[in-house]
Structures are given as structure tokens and as C-alpha cells.
Amino acid sequence: MTNDTDDAKLLEKEMDNEGVLTSDLQSEESENDEIRPTDIVFDCPHCGHNLAIDYRGAGLQINCVACGRPTLVPIPDGMKIDDLDLSPGELLTQLFQTRRMMLKNEQRIAELEETLASVKIRRTELEKARMTTLHRCAELVGMCQSGLKLQGDMANTLNRMIALIAEEQQR
Ligand SMILES: [Zn+2]
């Protein structure tokens, strides 16, 4: 993490001074042959890997070269849509890319909603099972209590019988 942050600072510094990067910093970026001064340099929010993307990728979602997770390319402060100077073909490509991404995200949302629904069903089932268990426990406690009561009644009866026998014996 700290290394990547240092790299980012180094990158900025290098670009300010010379507009190009030294070869050892470029080798940090295995996916890019060359980092241009117009590139957007940022850290992956998931793994902190230092990424450099062509400025025309501003605002697009890319997959991080290090961790592979989808990452939004930041739009530099003050950047306008005119700054992109894209050809209609490039714009169309980006549009389709964005639509594909949205479609994928919608599918993911649908999947997550499905998962949520099944989790809710499972929770309801578990609650029902728990209620059944609680009912059964109450029933068992009731049976134990009536067993104890029967035992008490039996003891009382036996004691009364013993008392009656003793009375007979004293006559
Ligand atoms: Zn990453």
C-alpha cells in the first residue's frame, strides 16, 4: 500500500519534471508499455495497485490489472467532455462499453436480489423451525411437570395408605 502511494507520488514528480517516466517506473506497470503524461494515474481502491489509464478512459469502469476487480477510472478535476476529442467511432465504442457494463451490473443486481429473496425465504423457514422447537420444548416441560405432579400424588396416596395401616395396627 505505502509502496504504491509512494509510486504514485514518484510518478507525479517524474511527469512534472520531464513529462516522461523513467524506465524503472514503467516496468512497475507490466500492462502498459509506456505511461504518457496525459494518462490518468490512480490507485486501485480495492488493492491499492497503481494504475495508469489513457485519459479517454475517464469515468469508465475497468478491471484492475492486479486484483481483477472492477474499478472506476477517476475523472480529473476540470476535465470536460470536449477534452476527450474522441472520434464518433471511439465514442460509439465507449457507449457500447458503458452499456455492456450497465447490463452486467443490472444482471449482478438481479442475481443479488435473487440471493436476497432466497436468504429471506431461508430465514422465514428457520424462524418457523425455531417456533416449532419452542412449542415442542414447552410441551415437554408440561409433560415433565405433570409427571412430577403424578409422582407427588402417588407419594401422598402411599403416605395416606401407610397412615391407615398404622391406625389398623394400633387397634
Ligand atoms: Zn486492484
Side-chain angles (χ1 to χ4, degrees):
M1 224 17 179
T2 43
N3 256 344
D4 285 333
T5 319
D6 289 341
D7 282 352
K9 278 180 193 151
L10 270 175
L11 283 169
E12 276 175 35
K13 212 178 156 198
E14 288 293 333
M15 285 192 288
D16 286 345
N17 290 346
E18 306 166 35
V20 275
L21 295 163
T22 52
S23 53
D24 58 335
L25 278 171
Q26 283 172 28
S27 65
E28 282 286 306
E29 286 295 325
S30 50
E31 297 295 311
N32 290 334
D33 297 327
E34 195 184 322
I35 299 174
R36 283 152 303 206
T38 51
D39 281 354
I40 299 167
V41 180
F42 64 103
D43 290 341
C44 169
H46 307 296
C47 70
H49 188 81
N50 196 230
L51 300 165
I53 305 298
D54 188 278
Y55 71 102
R56 284 172 297 190
L60 287 184
Q61 183 174 269
I62 56 144
N63 289 329
C64 171
V65 293
C67 69
R69 291 167 78 177
T71 303
L72 274 182
V73 179
I75 301 171
D77 286 340
M79 188 175 181
K80 279 175 265 169
I81 202 80
D82 300 343
D83 296 338
L84 289 174
D85 64 5
L86 292 176
S87 71
E90 282 173 319
L91 275 174
L92 260 185
T93 308
Q94 287 210 353
L95 183 64
F96 279 123
Q97 209 178 329
T98 308
R99 279 192 187 161
R100 249 200 306 272
M101 191 184 85
M102 280 171 65
L103 208 67
K104 243 193 262 172
N105 286 343
E106 269 164 24
Q107 281 168 353
R108 185 82 190 108
I109 289 169
E111 278 170 21
L112 286 173
E113 273 170 355
E114 229 169 86
T115 309
L116 183 67
S118 68
V119 166
K120 274 184 184 163
I121 289 170
R122 182 87 188 105
R123 206 181 73 178
T124 310
E125 281 170 359
L126 284 172
E127 264 166 19
K128 231 187 269 177
R130 194 170 152 264
M131 287 312 286
T132 309
T133 306
L134 284 179
H135 271 291
R136 243 176 234 164
C137 286
E139 219 174 308
L140 285 171
V141 167
M143 284 163 83
C144 289
Q145 281 167 341
S146 59
L148 284 172
K149 193 178 171 293
L150 275 176
Q151 198 190 29
D153 289 349
M154 182 76 96
N156 285 340
T157 307
L158 291 173
N159 280 330
R160 243 189 355 248
M161 283 170 78
I162 289 168
L164 285 174
I165 292 166
E167 260 175 48
E168 289 302 317
Q169 283 169 333
Q170 279 167 11
R171 274 189 196 178

